[in-house]
Amino acid sequence: MSPREVAITPFEGQKPGTSGLRKKVNVFRQPGYLEAFVQSVFDTQADLRGGTLVLGGDGRFFNRQAIQVILRMAAANGIARILVGRAGILSTPAASAVIRRHGAQGGLVLSASHNPGGPDGDFGIKFNVGNGGPASESVTEAIYQRTTRIDRYRVFDYHDLDLDHVSLQHINSMAVEVIDPVDDYAALLETLFDFDAIRALIRRPDFRFRFDAMHAVTGPYAKRLLIEMLGAPHDAVINAEPKEDFGGHHPDPNPAHAEELYRETVLEGRLDFAAASDGDGDRNMILGKDIAVSPSDSLAVLAANATLVPGYAKGIAGVARSMPTSRAADAVAAGLELACFETPTGWKFFGNLLDAGRITLCGEESYGTSSAHVREKDGLWAVLFWLNLLAAKPGETVASLLDAHWRRFGRHYYSRHDYEAVDGKVAAAALQRLRDALPGLPGSRIGELVITAADDFAYTDPIDRSVSTGQGLRVVCGEQARVIARLSGTGTEGATVRLYFELFESDPAHQHDDVQARIAPLVDFAERMTGLRAASGRSGPDVVT
Ligand code: G1P
Ligand code: ZN
């Protein structure tokens, strides 16, 4: 059988954003669109030829069709072996684990993360490299450049494979191994955590616990780990059947979209511990009785207590956070004399630091935390980490752990305000107003706070010295506060403006105030500087986290 070459013309806008190429399903369904991007990956990533590729996704609408197309193209492009998750399923962290465990040369992860699914929703594709993590900017740029000139793709004419059973099949000489999507991942997590201690905690009748898989990919993973391996009752994992449209919801674990879990746990205090994950399983939200853990605080708490967990008992090398993430992790690093790095938004920027052994834990304010065990953020990993901490500290609750943490390291009040689907020009102009004002800001005040620095964040990777500019506007008031503004790189409709607010409080007597009340002066400042609300005709943000 010889491959068929299909002539195509380039599609505009196949530039990967913060996390892969994300578009409306209808865009991906245009004849040749998916193929053009995938062929551009194959054309630019020479070591895939004769190598192993991992393939899977979050199970959203179009996942199955896309996988069949990619299988036929991979065979026609000389890939020797493909590992594909059963039913086309692989959570993002599981894909990373599979790439690493099987020494694959890379992976294609099909997901639009927390964006809605279904025929009118979003689809996405991301190329991960041999370390299991998202490709660096230079790789995604090379792929993008190729998409601008692509004139043909290669494919075998072949029937759809049966992906619903673990099996070994072939397309021409390419081996297609349909693997259990959970096995490798569960085996990896078992090496990191004290499963006996967590099992004992979960089985305590007074420990009320729930995990919400949000009808997304973590259902099978949570069932295996939490119910089968850790003995949680069956009703502890809810919305565990992955659906192509996520039940019509945003599979985004935050107080706005996991509203019921939040209400029951934080507002009504009916659960002691609750957690949720997103569409592709890399995000996590941690809630305790009467309290929500800010993701930035979560990273800091995990870093401060890591040695209580078997996988990190020998200590951690360092921590990294994305720039907009609060400096709670920095306070821990300073206190424990750990290395600490500030990277641009997006998991790809942690890869080099993890590979070089400079950091062990890393995280983002956007409900992402993980460690060197994979090269992606990892939702269930974070849940098990918190459960392990609670198990290792009998008598403590999520609230008491946070309280003790703030007393020791101070509290960073934190909130992110999102303005979604703003007209692109209006959003760009608002940010430009702030950008223009940056040079004049140092020395002026926001109420009592003195602005000490203001810039457009640029990052030089400490390992490969690559430079990334334009990574977000930041106004810094020493150690006391920060206001940050940037445009989302994952949205598919208009522009999403993200404003981030951080305020430090060292006095335990003032560490339990209302977050929005405390940051209100910073919010006013951001509006004065950007004019965003006025220009977009909004009275406030669409989502507050
Ligand atoms: C968002 C988050 C970012 C995260 C990314 C992928 O990107 O802000 O932290 O890495 O999703 O999950 P953004 O839309 O802000 O570019
Ligand atoms: Zn995700």
Side-chain angles (χ1 to χ4, degrees):
M1 188 163 54
S2 50
R4 188 160 61 93
E5 296 225 334
V6 181
I8 43 170
T9 48
F11 292 87
E12 255 179 48
Q14 291 200 322
K15 190 177 175 69
T18 313
S19 187
L21 181 69
R22 282 191 202 166
K23 302 282 175 196
K24 291 276 167 218
V25 165
N26 279 341
V27 174
F28 267 103
R29 285 168 104 182
Q30 297 172 81
Y33 189 91
L34 172 73
E35 289 86 343
F37 187 80
V38 171
Q39 187 64 49
S40 298
V41 173
F42 292 148
D43 285 352
T44 52
Q45 307 306 309
D47 53 349
L48 292 178
R49 180 165 283 274
T52 300
L53 181 77
V54 171
L55 179 61
D58 62 13
R60 67 178 58 227
F61 185 82
F62 197 54
N63 192 58
R64 281 177 176 266
Q65 294 97 305
I67 285 185
Q68 298 288 355
V69 169
I70 295 169
L71 287 172
R72 290 192 280 268
M73 288 184 65
N77 278 279
I79 311 301
R81 176 180 174 232
I82 288 225
L83 302 173
V84 54
R86 190 181 50 232
I89 292 282
L90 276 178
S91 78
T92 293
S96 186
V98 172
I99 293 171
R100 294 168 70 77
R101 197 165 196 188
H102 296 269
Q105 279 62 47
L108 287 168
V109 185
L110 309 180
S111 168
S113 188
H114 50 286
N115 294 10
D120 301 322
D122 290 351
F123 191 76
I125 179 166
K126 184 170 74 160
F127 177 61
N128 281 24
V129 293
N131 74 352
S136 65
E137 280 198 320
S138 59
V139 171
T140 55
E141 180 60 22
I143 294 169
Y144 169 61
Q145 287 305 329
R146 182 68 194 143
T147 67
T148 64
R149 291 186 301 271
I150 194 90
D151 57 1
R152 53 96 189 92
Y153 68 86
R154 279 197 204 96
V155 69
F156 273 123
D157 291 320
Y158 207 76
H159 60 80
D160 279 1
L161 298 191
D162 166 18
L163 300 180
D164 289 316
H165 303 92
V166 169
S167 60
L168 172 63
Q169 303 171 62
H170 286 86
I171 300 180
N172 208 32
S173 61
M174 183 181 80
V176 179
E177 293 178 35
V178 181
I179 60 168
D180 181 285
V182 185
D183 283 351
D184 289 319
Y185 177 75
L188 175 60
L189 291 200
E190 211 176 1
T191 66
L192 299 175
F193 299 108
D194 184 345
F195 271 48
D196 290 338
I198 300 176
R199 196 175 296 114
L201 172 75
I202 286 184
R203 285 190 174 160
R204 261 178 30 200
D206 61 334
F207 186 72
R208 297 162 305 171
F209 156 68
R210 188 168 300 159
F211 177 82
D212 187 349
M214 302 190 86
H215 297 299
V217 80
T218 44
Y221 295 86
K223 278 195 200 160
R224 173 82 65 85
L225 283 156
L226 298 171
I227 298 175
E228 290 173 32
M229 295 170 76
L230 290 165
H234 279 86
D235 60 1
V237 177
I238 61 168
N239 299 322
E241 286 312 316
K243 292 192 178 157
E244 286 199 331
D245 66 349
F246 309 117
H249 302 296
H250 275 257
D252 197 0
N254 63 35
H257 296 305
E259 189 265 334
E260 204 175 315
L261 196 72
Y262 182 85
R263 181 167 42 73
E264 275 187 83
T265 317
V266 179
L267 304 182
E268 297 169 0
R270 290 199 274 130
L271 294 166
D272 298 292
F273 183 84
S277 191
D278 71 328
D280 60 329
D282 58 356
R283 294 186 174 202
N284 74 91
M285 176 177 69
I286 304 291
L287 306 174
K289 185 177 182 316
D290 304 326
I291 196 157
V293 182
S294 137
S296 299
D297 279 347
S298 181
L299 172 64
V301 169
L302 302 191
N305 296 288
T307 52
L308 293 173
V309 171
Y312 310 95
K314 294 201 182 105
I316 58 175
V319 291
R321 60 164 174 83
S322 67
M323 185 274 280
T325 303
S326 97
R327 292 177 290 182
D330 305 39
V332 172
L336 304 184
E337 296 186 15
L338 297 168
C340 184
F341 298 87
E342 180 178 50
T343 58
T345 298
W347 209 260
K348 56 180 175 270
F349 293 103
F350 295 131
N352 280 348
L353 293 167
L354 289 163
D355 284 351
R358 302 280 287 273
I359 58 167
T360 307
L361 298 187
C362 44
E364 296 193 273
E365 51 66 41
S366 51
Y367 297 86
T369 349
S370 193
S371 85
H373 69 293
V374 286
R375 292 294 179 275
E376 289 281 4
K377 53 191 182 237
D378 189 344
L380 275 163
W381 170 90
V383 176
L384 293 193
F385 205 129
W386 269 93
L387 288 169
N388 201 150
L389 288 189
L390 291 170
K393 291 190 167 227
E396 299 278 0
T397 62
V398 174
S400 71
L401 273 180
L402 273 180
D403 198 41
H405 186 91
W406 292 336
R407 280 174 183 273
R408 180 168 175 202
F409 297 103
R411 177 173 186 185
H412 290 78
Y413 284 104
Y414 188 83
S415 184
R416 181 176 107 182
H417 292 189
D418 291 340
Y419 291 79
E420 294 178 339
V422 177
D423 176 83
K425 285 197 184 110
V426 170
L431 289 194
Q432 191 57 41
R433 272 188 65 178
L434 173 58
R435 191 177 288 109
D436 291 342
L438 291 173
L441 284 178
S444 61
R445 285 173 179 272
I446 309 174
E448 309 273 278
L449 301 161
V450 179
I451 297 174
T452 53
D455 66 2
D456 192 343
F457 181 55
Y459 177 69
T460 303
D461 185 294
I463 311 299
D464 66 16
R465 311 306 301 171
S466 60
V467 176
S468 306
T469 55
Q471 297 296 323
L473 309 179
R474 55 179 184 177
V475 178
V476 184
C477 304
E479 298 298 311
Q480 290 305 307
R482 291 189 307 160
V483 174
I484 292 149
R486 59 180 283 282
L487 283 181
S488 158
T490 58
T492 56
E493 248 179 84
T496 293
V497 181
R498 306 204 194 285
L499 303 176
Y500 310 78
F501 306 100
E502 172 197 318
L503 182 74
F504 180 65
E505 176 58 70
S506 60
D507 181 355
H510 297 289
Q511 288 175 345
H512 296 89
D513 298 345
D514 178 72
V515 179
Q516 299 304 323
R518 287 296 301 264
I519 63 162
L522 303 175
V523 175
D524 291 345
F525 167 79
E527 177 58 21
R528 275 203 306 283
M529 299 311 296
T530 61
L532 177 64
R533 286 185 193 185
S536 63
R538 315 275 174 110
S539 57
D542 299 286
V543 179
V544 173
T545 53

